[in-house]
Amino acid sequence: MSLTALTVCADYSHLAVWVEAEDWAALADVIPGMGRAWWVLTSISIGLNVLPIFLERAKEKQKSKA
């Protein structure tokens, strides 16, 4: 999860440089795609972080059945 947070912060910092330089064309090109990518990658990261919990519960259920 921290890798996702660091990536978003790094991208935000990079975009802030473009805003300070008033490079509106670069922002208009990059922001729409990056917004979608951030949502997708953050969702995948959350899923990967939750997956071990579900796997552990499934493992415990199998042990209790045996």
Side-chain angles (χ1 to χ4, degrees), residues 14-31:
H14 188 71
L15 295 175
V17 171
W18 286 348
V19 170
E20 288 176 5
E22 296 183 7
D23 191 354
W24 307 122
L27 288 168
D29 288 341
V30 173
I31 294 296

Side-chain angles (χ1 to χ4, degrees), residues 14-56:
H14 188 71
L15 295 175
V17 171
W18 286 348
V19 170
E20 288 176 5
E22 296 183 7
D23 191 354
W24 307 122
L27 288 168
D29 288 341
V30 173
I31 294 296
M34 285 184 78
R36 285 186 290 269
W38 284 344
W39 280 108
V40 169
L41 294 174
T42 301
S43 299
I44 290 170
S45 177
I46 291 169
L48 289 174
N49 281 291
V50 172
L51 185 63
I53 296 169
F54 290 122
L55 292 175
E56 186 65 30

